[in-house]
């Protein structure tokens, strides 16, 4: 069955392959809490490959076959030792069973926001809880629903080729974003304009969450929040923060 990111897959690394700001944050957590590590929404393995290059054992879960195909392609060209450190599994973050426990689970790049209802959010967090060792750690980053954005009902963003990972391809991306405040949803439709080809479209939804809503969700699923920062370098979470990074610890006997 096709899933949302299958349509994004051919363009994902063109748009985000050069994103690096989060890598030291997740690598530091990996060094601190140790292997094995579980990445939820591994995508094209941007983060998992970085962790494996640093010597970590990583399992990556994703439900998009297309994204996993690209991840496999990128892993295949790594050194044998690095390749052997990564294992990919096609599964839905809301319900999976790997028959395995991890010291650290990471959900980079706002992937958690693809849970569109409280039921899905809790189901994902509980699935992760069940895959963590007794004092296992969960870390994730999200965008902040900024007050400037919440006042709008729809807007358009254009990304020119020079801001993309492969400017030589001449692709321009237009993102039309619709805001449904009642559902806390941002509905994004990307149009990929490619030279001499028909434009391609891909659409996805994010359910945004507020800081204390996320803390409550984590608590409900059995986690204690250790920190919420406004960036990947421990910046305080404040009025100016465009993102939230959570680190939470599994609590025993809480669910
Ligand atoms: C924003 S991308 C992040 C990819 C990668 N972690 C990175 O940082 O580059 C989100 C990923 O989550 C995956 N995803 C979305 N919903 C999912 C679900 N229900 N179960 C598993 N993976 C999911 C998508 O297929 C996509 O690969």
């Amino acid at each position: 069955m096709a899933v949302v990111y299958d349509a994004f897959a051919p363009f994902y690394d063109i748009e985000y392959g050069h994103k690096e700001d989060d890598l030291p944050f997740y690598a530091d957590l990996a060094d601190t809490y140790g292997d094995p590590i579980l990445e939820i929404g591994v995508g094209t393995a941007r983060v998992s490959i970085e962790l494996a290059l640093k010597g970590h054992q990583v399992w990556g879960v994703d439900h998009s076959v297309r994204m996993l195909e690209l991840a496999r392609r990128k892993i295949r060209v790594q050194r044998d030792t690095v390749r052997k450190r990564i294992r990919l599994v096609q599964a839905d973050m809301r319900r999976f069973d790997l028959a395995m426990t991890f010291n650290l689970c990471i959900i980079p790049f706002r992937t958690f926001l693809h849970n569109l209802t409280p039921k899905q959010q809790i189901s994902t967090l509980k699935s992760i809880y069940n895959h963590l060792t007794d004092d296992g750690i969960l870390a994730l980053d999200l965008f902040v629903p900024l007050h400037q954005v919440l006042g709008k009902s729809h807007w358009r963003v254009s990304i020119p080729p020079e801001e993309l990972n492969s400017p030589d391809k001449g692709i321009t991306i237009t993102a039309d974003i619709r805001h449904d405040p009642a559902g806390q949803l941002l509905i994004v439709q990307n149009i990929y304009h490619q030279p001499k080809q028909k434009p391609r479209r891909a659409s996805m939804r994010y359910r945004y969450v507020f800081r204390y809503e996320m803390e409550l969700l984590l608590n409900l699923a059995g986690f204690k929040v250790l920190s919420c920062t406004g960036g990947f370098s421990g910046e305080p979470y404040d009025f100016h923060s465009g993102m939230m990074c959570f680190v939470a610890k599994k609590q025993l006997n809480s669910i």
Side-chain angles (χ1 to χ4, degrees):
M1 188 191 70
V3 297
V4 166
Y5 267 81
D6 288 348
F8 284 93
F11 303 100
Y12 188 83
D13 278 344
I14 293 171
E15 193 168 1
Y16 298 119
H18 54 331
K19 178 176 163 62
E20 290 185 331
D21 57 343
D22 53 352
L23 298 179
F25 173 73
Y26 289 110
D28 282 352
L29 287 164
D31 291 345
T32 305
Y33 295 107
D35 300 343
I37 297 158
L38 172 62
E39 181 181 356
I40 298 292
V42 64
T44 59
R46 187 182 62 83
V47 181
S48 278
I49 290 174
E50 175 73 6
L51 299 185
L53 284 168
K54 293 193 176 312
H56 294 290
Q57 305 283 337
V58 196
W59 285 50
V61 164
D62 205 289
H63 72 162
S64 164
V65 173
R66 297 266 175 274
M67 293 294 272
L68 289 172
E69 272 170 13
L70 295 172
R72 285 204 182 89
R73 225 181 273 172
K74 285 162 71 178
I75 293 165
R76 216 175 290 138
V77 298
Q78 302 295 323
R79 289 194 311 275
D80 202 34
T81 43
V82 175
R83 229 172 27 226
K84 285 184 178 151
R85 293 186 192 124
I86 309 177
R87 193 157 167 174
L88 300 177
V89 181
Q90 192 208 351
D92 190 325
M93 65 174 145
R94 296 163 289 193
R95 61 195 88 85
F96 60 94
D97 182 5
L98 305 178
M100 169 85 191
T101 54
F102 299 85
N103 287 330
L104 173 66
C105 172
I106 61 173
I107 324 179
F109 205 13
R110 54 174 95 136
T111 297
F112 182 76
L113 302 182
H114 293 308
N115 291 293
L116 300 179
T117 64
K119 197 172 165 192
Q120 292 179 9
Q121 292 165 330
I122 290 292
S123 182
T124 292
L125 293 174
K126 284 192 173 166
S127 298
I128 291 168
Y129 182 101
N130 292 334
H131 284 81
L132 285 174
T133 51
D134 285 355
D135 51 2
I137 296 288
L138 167 62
L140 65 153
D141 64 272
L142 309 173
F143 62 74
V144 173
L146 290 167
H147 64 95
Q148 306 91 307
V149 168
L150 297 186
K152 298 185 190 179
S153 60
H154 60 268
W155 64 99
R156 174 173 281 200
V157 180
S158 268
I159 312 172
E162 55 276 17
E163 286 178 26
L164 299 173
N165 194 27
S166 318
D168 47 306
K169 291 199 160 71
I171 294 175
T172 301
I173 303 175
T174 312
D176 279 314
I177 302 150
R178 214 158 43 76
H179 177 209
D180 165 12
Q184 288 186 204
L185 293 173
L186 296 182
I187 301 123
V188 180
Q189 178 163 89
N190 277 7
I191 307 175
Y192 300 92
H193 307 274
Q194 311 175 77
K196 297 183 190 153
Q197 289 188 52
K198 274 192 181 164
R200 299 263 300 267
R201 289 166 190 272
S203 178
M204 67 157 88
R205 286 164 183 244
Y206 293 109
R207 183 185 177 121
Y208 58 79
V209 294
F210 296 90
R211 184 248 178 106
Y212 292 113
E213 180 183 6
M214 190 65 221
E215 294 204 2
L216 276 173
L217 287 168
L218 286 162
N219 294 158
L220 272 174
F223 292 91
K224 177 181 177 194
V225 176
L226 300 182
S227 60
C228 168
T229 55
F232 292 117
S233 308
E235 299 89 330
Y237 177 70
D238 63 20
F239 184 79
H240 304 287
S241 303
M243 59 177 302
M244 315 179 240
C245 298
F246 289 93
V247 179
K249 187 173 182 183
K250 174 172 175 169
Q251 300 291 286
L252 287 180
N253 305 321
S254 59
I255 52 174

